[in-house]
PDB file of all heavy atoms in Angstrom:
ATOM      1  N   GLY A  16      30.805  89.534  65.385  1.00  0.00           N
ATOM      2  CA  GLY A  16      29.938  90.667  65.028  1.00  0.00           C
ATOM      3  C   GLY A  16      29.152  91.086  66.249  1.00  0.00           C
ATOM      4  O   GLY A  16      29.660  90.992  67.412  1.00  0.00           O
ATOM      5  N   LEU A  17      27.948  91.556  66.037  1.00  0.00           N
ATOM      6  CA  LEU A  17      27.177  92.064  67.195  1.00  0.00           C
ATOM      7  C   LEU A  17      26.880  90.988  68.210  1.00  0.00           C
ATOM      8  O   LEU A  17      27.049  91.199  69.429  1.00  0.00           O
ATOM      9  CB  LEU A  17      25.832  92.643  66.626  1.00  0.00           C
ATOM     10  CG  LEU A  17      25.990  93.913  65.796  1.00  0.00           C
ATOM     11  CD1 LEU A  17      24.753  94.227  65.047  1.00  0.00           C
ATOM     12  CD2 LEU A  17      26.370  95.112  66.708  1.00  0.00           C
ATOM     13  N   VAL A  18      26.498  89.805  67.737  1.00  0.00           N
ATOM     14  CA  VAL A  18      26.175  88.734  68.684  1.00  0.00           C
ATOM     15  C   VAL A  18      27.454  88.185  69.325  1.00  0.00           C
ATOM     16  O   VAL A  18      27.569  88.020  70.578  1.00  0.00           O
ATOM     17  CB  VAL A  18      25.411  87.567  67.963  1.00  0.00           C
ATOM     18  CG1 VAL A  18      25.209  86.405  68.881  1.00  0.00           C
ATOM     19  CG2 VAL A  18      24.059  88.102  67.473  1.00  0.00           C
ATOM     20  N   ASP A  39      37.517  85.965  63.595  1.00  0.00           N
ATOM     21  CA  ASP A  39      36.614  86.549  62.617  1.00  0.00           C
ATOM     22  C   ASP A  39      37.377  86.667  61.270  1.00  0.00           C
ATOM     23  O   ASP A  39      38.605  86.925  61.302  1.00  0.00           O
ATOM     24  CB  ASP A  39      36.105  87.925  63.097  1.00  0.00           C
ATOM     25  CG  ASP A  39      34.805  88.338  62.369  1.00  0.00           C
ATOM     26  OD1 ASP A  39      34.883  88.584  61.133  1.00  0.00           O
ATOM     27  OD2 ASP A  39      33.778  88.411  62.984  1.00  0.00           O
ATOM     28  N   THR A  81      29.109  82.004  65.896  1.00  0.00           N
ATOM     29  CA  THR A  81      28.158  83.138  65.568  1.00  0.00           C
ATOM     30  C   THR A  81      28.564  83.796  64.275  1.00  0.00           C
ATOM     31  O   THR A  81      28.188  84.987  64.036  1.00  0.00           O
ATOM     32  CB  THR A  81      28.158  84.181  66.694  1.00  0.00           C
ATOM     33  OG1 THR A  81      29.480  84.718  66.889  1.00  0.00           O
ATOM     34  CG2 THR A  81      27.665  83.596  67.986  1.00  0.00           C
ATOM     35  N   GLY A  83      28.394  84.731  60.447  1.00  0.00           N
ATOM     36  CA  GLY A  83      27.397  84.732  59.369  1.00  0.00           C
ATOM     37  C   GLY A  83      26.532  85.913  59.322  1.00  0.00           C
ATOM     38  O   GLY A  83      26.535  86.712  60.227  1.00  0.00           O
ATOM     39  N   ALA A  84      25.746  85.990  58.284  1.00  0.00           N
ATOM     40  CA  ALA A  84      24.916  87.148  58.073  1.00  0.00           C
ATOM     41  C   ALA A  84      23.719  87.098  59.077  1.00  0.00           C
ATOM     42  O   ALA A  84      23.293  86.051  59.490  1.00  0.00           O
ATOM     43  CB  ALA A  84      24.324  87.112  56.646  1.00  0.00           C
ATOM     44  N   ASN A  85      23.245  88.269  59.455  1.00  0.00           N
ATOM     45  CA  ASN A  85      22.050  88.340  60.301  1.00  0.00           C
ATOM     46  C   ASN A  85      20.846  88.790  59.493  1.00  0.00           C
ATOM     47  O   ASN A  85      20.976  89.171  58.325  1.00  0.00           O
ATOM     48  CB  ASN A  85      22.280  89.247  61.508  1.00  0.00           C
ATOM     49  CG  ASN A  85      22.696  90.633  61.165  1.00  0.00           C
ATOM     50  OD1 ASN A  85      22.556  91.055  59.963  1.00  0.00           O
ATOM     51  ND2 ASN A  85      23.192  91.400  62.099  1.00  0.00           N
ATOM     52  N   ASN A  99      24.632  81.403  55.100  1.00  0.00           N
ATOM     53  CA  ASN A  99      25.273  80.929  56.310  1.00  0.00           C
ATOM     54  C   ASN A  99      25.694  79.457  56.234  1.00  0.00           C
ATOM     55  O   ASN A  99      26.653  79.087  56.919  1.00  0.00           O
ATOM     56  CB  ASN A  99      24.319  81.215  57.525  1.00  0.00           C
ATOM     57  CG  ASN A  99      24.299  82.688  57.853  1.00  0.00           C
ATOM     58  OD1 ASN A  99      25.113  83.433  57.291  1.00  0.00           O
ATOM     59  ND2 ASN A  99      23.408  83.086  58.694  1.00  0.00           N
ATOM     60  N   VAL A 122      25.001  79.185  66.965  1.00  0.00           N
ATOM     61  CA  VAL A 122      24.089  80.324  67.195  1.00  0.00           C
ATOM     62  C   VAL A 122      23.594  80.924  65.890  1.00  0.00           C
ATOM     63  O   VAL A 122      22.462  81.426  65.773  1.00  0.00           O
ATOM     64  CB  VAL A 122      24.774  81.386  68.084  1.00  0.00           C
ATOM     65  CG1 VAL A 122      23.833  82.567  68.368  1.00  0.00           C
ATOM     66  CG2 VAL A 122      25.284  80.763  69.398  1.00  0.00           C
ATOM     67  N   ASN A 124      22.035  81.777  62.376  1.00  0.00           N
ATOM     68  CA  ASN A 124      20.715  81.421  61.904  1.00  0.00           C
ATOM     69  C   ASN A 124      20.719  80.968  60.458  1.00  0.00           C
ATOM     70  O   ASN A 124      21.603  81.350  59.703  1.00  0.00           O
ATOM     71  CB  ASN A 124      19.742  82.602  62.057  1.00  0.00           C
ATOM     72  CG  ASN A 124      19.136  82.693  63.416  1.00  0.00           C
ATOM     73  OD1 ASN A 124      18.792  81.666  63.981  1.00  0.00           O
ATOM     74  ND2 ASN A 124      19.009  83.871  63.926  1.00  0.00           N
ATOM     75  N   SER A 147      21.761  77.052  70.134  1.00  0.00           N
ATOM     76  CA  SER A 147      21.134  77.879  71.158  1.00  0.00           C
ATOM     77  C   SER A 147      19.579  77.788  71.077  1.00  0.00           C
ATOM     78  O   SER A 147      18.889  78.038  72.032  1.00  0.00           O
ATOM     79  CB  SER A 147      21.540  79.286  71.089  1.00  0.00           C
ATOM     80  OG  SER A 147      21.261  79.857  69.835  1.00  0.00           O
ATOM     81  N   HIS A 179      13.579  77.658  66.036  1.00  0.00           N
ATOM     82  CA  HIS A 179      13.839  79.022  66.449  1.00  0.00           C
ATOM     83  C   HIS A 179      13.461  79.896  65.254  1.00  0.00           C
ATOM     84  O   HIS A 179      14.249  80.217  64.479  1.00  0.00           O
ATOM     85  CB  HIS A 179      15.330  79.224  66.825  1.00  0.00           C
ATOM     86  CG  HIS A 179      15.734  80.678  67.013  1.00  0.00           C
ATOM     87  ND1 HIS A 179      15.118  81.486  67.966  1.00  0.00           N
ATOM     88  CD2 HIS A 179      16.625  81.433  66.388  1.00  0.00           C
ATOM     89  CE1 HIS A 179      15.705  82.666  67.914  1.00  0.00           C
ATOM     90  NE2 HIS A 179      16.599  82.662  66.911  1.00  0.00           N
ATOM     91  N   THR A 232      19.426  92.001  66.772  1.00  0.00           N
ATOM     92  CA  THR A 232      19.242  91.644  68.206  1.00  0.00           C
ATOM     93  C   THR A 232      20.534  91.021  68.701  1.00  0.00           C
ATOM     94  O   THR A 232      21.181  90.250  67.983  1.00  0.00           O
ATOM     95  CB  THR A 232      18.113  90.606  68.352  1.00  0.00           C
ATOM     96  OG1 THR A 232      18.523  89.346  67.826  1.00  0.00           O
ATOM     97  CG2 THR A 232      16.863  91.048  67.659  1.00  0.00           C
TER      98      THR A 232
HETATM   99  P1  6V0 B   1      27.112  90.394  62.257  1.00  0.00           P
HETATM  100  O1  6V0 B   1      27.184  91.573  63.180  1.00  0.00           O
HETATM  101  O2  6V0 B   1      26.994  90.640  60.824  1.00  0.00           O
HETATM  102  O3  6V0 B   1      28.385  89.501  62.567  1.00  0.00           O
HETATM  103  C1  6V0 B   1      28.724  88.370  61.837  1.00  0.00           C
HETATM  104  C2  6V0 B   1      30.208  88.232  61.912  1.00  0.00           C
HETATM  105  O4  6V0 B   1      30.595  87.010  61.332  1.00  0.00           O
HETATM  106  C3  6V0 B   1      30.959  89.363  61.200  1.00  0.00           C
HETATM  107  O5  6V0 B   1      31.886  89.954  62.054  1.00  0.00           O
HETATM  108  C4  6V0 B   1      31.668  88.643  60.016  1.00  0.00           C
HETATM  109  O6  6V0 B   1      32.903  89.192  59.668  1.00  0.00           O
HETATM  110  C5  6V0 B   1      31.815  87.234  60.663  1.00  0.00           C
HETATM  111  N1  6V0 B   1      32.095  86.191  59.663  1.00  0.00           N
HETATM  112  C6  6V0 B   1      31.530  86.017  58.435  1.00  0.00           C
HETATM  113  N2  6V0 B   1      32.044  84.907  57.824  1.00  0.00           N
HETATM  114  C7  6V0 B   1      32.968  84.405  58.661  1.00  0.00           C
HETATM  115  C8  6V0 B   1      33.826  83.262  58.648  1.00  0.00           C
HETATM  116  N3  6V0 B   1      33.869  82.469  57.614  1.00  0.00           N
HETATM  117  N4  6V0 B   1      34.605  83.046  59.715  1.00  0.00           N
HETATM  118  C9  6V0 B   1      34.576  83.840  60.807  1.00  0.00           C
HETATM  119  N5  6V0 B   1      33.827  84.929  60.878  1.00  0.00           N
HETATM  120  C10 6V0 B   1      32.941  85.212  59.854  1.00  0.00           C
HETATM  121  O7  6V0 B   1      25.869  89.440  62.687  1.00  0.00           O
HETATM  122  P2  6V0 B   1      25.297  89.218  64.137  1.00  0.00           P
HETATM  123  O8  6V0 B   1      26.410  89.086  65.055  1.00  0.00           O
HETATM  124  O9  6V0 B   1      24.201  90.175  64.358  1.00  0.00           O
HETATM  125  O10 6V0 B   1      24.603  87.780  63.921  1.00  0.00           O
HETATM  126  C11 6V0 B   1      25.403  86.587  63.792  1.00  0.00           C
HETATM  127  C12 6V0 B   1      24.476  85.411  63.562  1.00  0.00           C
HETATM  128  O11 6V0 B   1      23.731  85.133  64.772  1.00  0.00           O
HETATM  129  C13 6V0 B   1      23.416  85.633  62.461  1.00  0.00           C
HETATM  130  O12 6V0 B   1      23.272  84.480  61.710  1.00  0.00           O
HETATM  131  C14 6V0 B   1      22.151  85.923  63.203  1.00  0.00           C
HETATM  132  O13 6V0 B   1      21.010  85.663  62.498  1.00  0.00           O
HETATM  133  C15 6V0 B   1      22.345  84.988  64.405  1.00  0.00           C
HETATM  134  N6  6V0 B   1      21.493  85.207  65.553  1.00  0.00           N
HETATM  135  C16 6V0 B   1      21.073  84.145  66.263  1.00  0.00           C
HETATM  136  C17 6V0 B   1      20.254  84.277  67.316  1.00  0.00           C
HETATM  137  C18 6V0 B   1      19.770  83.068  68.017  1.00  0.00           C
HETATM  138  O14 6V0 B   1      18.968  83.114  69.009  1.00  0.00           O
HETATM  139  N7  6V0 B   1      20.226  81.865  67.614  1.00  0.00           N
HETATM  140  C19 6V0 B   1      19.810  85.554  67.763  1.00  0.00           C
HETATM  141  C20 6V0 B   1      20.294  86.642  67.105  1.00  0.00           C
HETATM  142  C21 6V0 B   1      21.153  86.582  65.970  1.00  0.00           C
END
Side-chain angles (χ1 to χ4, degrees):
L17 292 165
V18 174
D39 200 292
T81 58
N85 57 15
N99 288 349
V122 180
N124 275 321
S147 59
H179 168 61
T232 70

